Amino acid sequence: MNMHESVEYLSEIAKKSGAEQFDVLAGNQDSKSISVFNGALQNTEISNSCGIGIRVFKNQKPGYASTEKFSKESLSQALADAISNSEYTKPINAELPEPAPLGSALPTYNPKLESVDINELLSMCLSIEKQVLAANEIKNVPDLGADISSSTTIFANSKGVFFEEKRNYFGIGVGAVAERKGVVKMGWYSKGGKDFDSVSSEQIAAEAVSRAKELLSPKPIKSGKIPVILSKRIASSILSIYLSSFYAEKAQKDLSKLKGRLGETIASEKFSLFSEPLMPDLPGSTLLDSEGVPTAALKVVENGVFNSFLYNLESASEENRKSTGHGTRGFSGKAGTSFMNAVVPLGQLSKQEMLSAFPKCLLINHLEGSSGCNSVSGEISIGAQGFWCENGVPLHAADNLTISANFFDLIKNIVGIGSEYSDSYSSIKVPSLVISEMSVSA
């Protein structure tokens, strides 16, 4: 059977199983990727994954099971396993959603992208590599690759909800190494989206070269509590570590410092954080979440005030609330929670206005891992590189830095928001953040 037939068959036998409610999620993903080194194709990978999962409710207790085989025997076994697994879970008072009117379809799929083949990816990467290597002070390009991924997801439940969604996107990433007077730095740049025709090898190469060379010739700075600008390149990386603090399921498990703080001011009035599932140009957009609940914009934090946790059906049932449409689930997993595009609204400050906000400040545009960060406590301790700035002017690069703070203090100390997002194809969009002070060890 194909995926559609499997969803139909599993739904039919689930109706006869005695389960009170059920939902079925099936998915198929195809991807092709290449990597390039020294003017030649280094690696090619073509992969496919598919499967189907079911969640049943028996005596109000959820049970999950899945299979990667679309046969009647495997589907029947998955149903039996799900019913059996429900014996070991606790009851939840959750009603699966009924069919509801949806808005206009989102442009999550571009048919033209399917026609882009391996040779076109290779040609693009070779052109990028050649241009990067032609730049002064560039020594090599150790990391260069491209991929295209497409997926189809089908959701159905016992209340009659049926939803099918197709997605695809491409990604190109390049890392370039530059050297000057014995100082070696690597710059990384990536480009992605759904319109491959819009990609410019010249733009990608130029940006990679710029990022590799910009931090050469560093000079030491003094340690201390320093005003910091988290650039639009890296602000989303920091926020992404702490997004789970806004999930109701984390608070219910005492894994969020925001537990019990709804309605409180938790951040600067300049800071807001929204979930924006209906923005057509972001990869996290969708009309329904993975539990069949219609999505809608949610102002999680507005002008510093914490308005709402993100709920899926199960976490909402714990508090006798309704799901906010933020349930996430793969065919083989349990229901979880996620932002459907985490967006910090743009501010009004230009780059020059941000640099001029303090007589002296540190502009951070490169992070080195996140092993010193804790999503539960909010602690931030992370290696960084950037520029030392005085009177609105970047004077020199600064490296071997460690920036430290607590995330919940950091968002209170925001005194300005930049007016631009980075051009990354990401479901987390954060402009530059101007922080009144962070601890910097040099």
Side-chain angles (χ1 to χ4, degrees):
M1 291 187 288
N2 61 32
M3 191 161 69
H4 286 83
E5 292 168 337
S6 298
V7 170
E8 183 178 348
Y9 179 78
L10 187 52
S11 297
E12 285 301 317
I13 62 174
K15 291 176 183 177
K16 303 172 184 177
S17 69
E20 297 135 13
Q21 303 182 91
F22 67 85
D23 52 23
V24 175
L25 186 67
N28 179 78
Q29 180 166 345
D30 295 291
S31 65
K32 49 190 174 185
S33 63
I34 66 163
S35 59
V36 165
F37 184 69
N38 272 350
L41 178 65
Q42 184 179 41
N43 186 55
T44 301
E45 183 174 337
I46 298 176
S47 64
N48 170 267
S49 62
C50 60
I52 185 169
I54 185 167
R55 173 174 61 175
V56 302
F57 289 83
K58 195 75 178 283
N59 299 321
Q60 294 188 308
K61 300 164 69 176
Y64 293 83
S66 64
T67 178
E68 296 181 4
K69 296 180 180 179
F70 293 160
S71 67
K72 290 184 177 180
E73 295 79 7
S74 296
L75 297 172
S76 297
Q77 185 62 54
L79 174 59
D81 290 344
I83 293 174
S84 175
N85 292 337
S86 70
E87 298 176 11
Y88 305 101
T89 60
K90 66 177 183 179
I92 62 172
N93 184 28
E95 283 292 323
L96 296 184
E98 297 185 352
L102 299 177
S104 302
L106 294 167
T108 58
Y109 181 78
N110 179 10
K112 290 180 62 178
L113 192 54
E114 299 301 320
S115 64
V116 178
D117 59 20
I118 292 292
N119 288 330
E120 288 181 83
L121 295 180
L122 177 60
S123 176
M124 175 64 69
C125 287
L126 290 175
S127 175
I128 292 170
E129 183 185 51
K130 182 178 180 180
Q131 293 176 71
V132 172
L133 289 173
N136 184 40
E137 298 182 308
I138 297 296
K139 296 305 176 183
N140 59 60
V141 183
D143 194 356
L144 173 57
D147 69 285
I148 293 177
S149 179
S150 61
S151 64
T152 300
T153 302
I154 300 175
F155 176 89
N157 75 6
S158 53
K159 298 295 184 68
V161 175
F162 181 89
F163 183 67
E164 180 175 353
E165 185 175 65
K166 297 184 71 175
R167 295 179 174 273
N168 62 2
Y169 67 90
F170 74 89
I172 301 171
V174 55
V177 173
E179 182 177 2
R180 179 187 301 158
K181 296 181 179 180
V183 176
V184 178
K185 297 292 181 181
M186 180 169 176
W188 171 262
Y189 180 66
S190 64
K191 190 78 171 179
K194 295 188 291 291
D195 184 6
F196 191 78
D197 293 337
S198 67
V199 177
S200 163
S201 63
E202 291 80 6
Q203 184 265 332
I204 294 174
E207 189 65 33
V209 169
S210 174
R211 294 189 180 193
K213 295 170 63 174
E214 67 183 1
L215 293 173
L216 295 172
S217 303
K219 295 180 181 179
I221 66 171
K222 292 183 179 180
S223 300
K225 291 187 179 296
I226 299 171
V228 168
I229 300 170
L230 301 175
S231 91
K232 61 186 179 182
R233 292 190 207 167
I234 56 92
S236 59
S237 297
I238 290 181
L239 179 65
S240 68
I241 300 170
Y242 302 96
L243 287 179
S244 63
S245 298
F246 299 94
Y247 300 169
E249 61 182 287
K250 295 296 184 181
Q252 290 163 3
K253 297 174 181 177
D254 292 322
L255 296 176
S256 170
K257 290 188 72 175
L258 295 177
K259 182 176 181 179
R261 300 196 63 189
L262 279 172
E264 293 185 16
T265 297
I266 64 165
S268 161
E269 64 177 11
K270 296 183 181 295
F271 178 80
S272 296
L273 173 62
F274 300 161
S275 181
E276 296 281 6
L278 303 178
M279 295 184 73
D281 54 343
L282 298 184
S285 296
T286 184
L287 296 175
L288 288 182
D289 74 0
S290 298
E291 298 183 295
V293 178
T295 60
L298 181 67
K299 295 181 178 180
V300 180
V301 178
E302 186 174 21
N303 299 328
V305 179
F306 180 32
N307 291 325
S308 178
F309 281 108
L310 275 57
Y311 291 89
N312 62 18
L313 287 171
E314 296 189 18
S315 61
S317 71
E318 291 282 331
E319 302 177 30
N320 293 316
R321 294 175 176 265
K322 291 184 178 180
S323 169
T324 57
H326 290 86
T328 182
R329 177 177 151 217
F331 70 83
S332 62
K334 296 179 64 178
T337 311
S338 179
F339 276 81
M340 309 301 185
N341 299 316
V343 177
V344 173
L346 292 172
Q348 299 180 338
L349 298 181
S350 67
K351 181 177 179 180
Q352 187 57 53
E353 288 172 328
M354 289 186 287
L355 293 177
S356 303
F358 305 99
K360 298 179 181 180
C361 67
L362 182 65
L363 170 64
I364 300 293
N365 59 11
H366 182 81
L367 299 178
E368 299 172 351
S370 59
S371 59
C373 299
N374 187 299
S375 62
V376 178
S377 68
E379 291 305 310
I380 300 172
S381 181
I382 190 168
Q385 300 181 56
F387 291 94
W388 181 252
C389 309
E390 296 185 10
N391 301 315
V393 179
L395 296 183
H396 59 79
D399 62 3
N400 296 320
L401 309 174
T402 299
I403 54 174
S404 303
N406 186 282
F407 173 76
F408 301 102
D409 293 331
L410 182 149
I411 58 177
K412 289 179 181 177
N413 292 335
I414 293 173
V415 295
I417 306 283
S419 60
E420 296 180 342
Y421 294 123
S422 74
D423 63 353
S424 63
Y425 187 62
S426 170
S427 60
I428 304 175
K429 302 300 288 185
V430 184
S432 298
L433 303 176
V434 184
I435 315 299
S436 59
E437 68 172 24
M438 293 183 73
S439 293
V440 179
S441 299

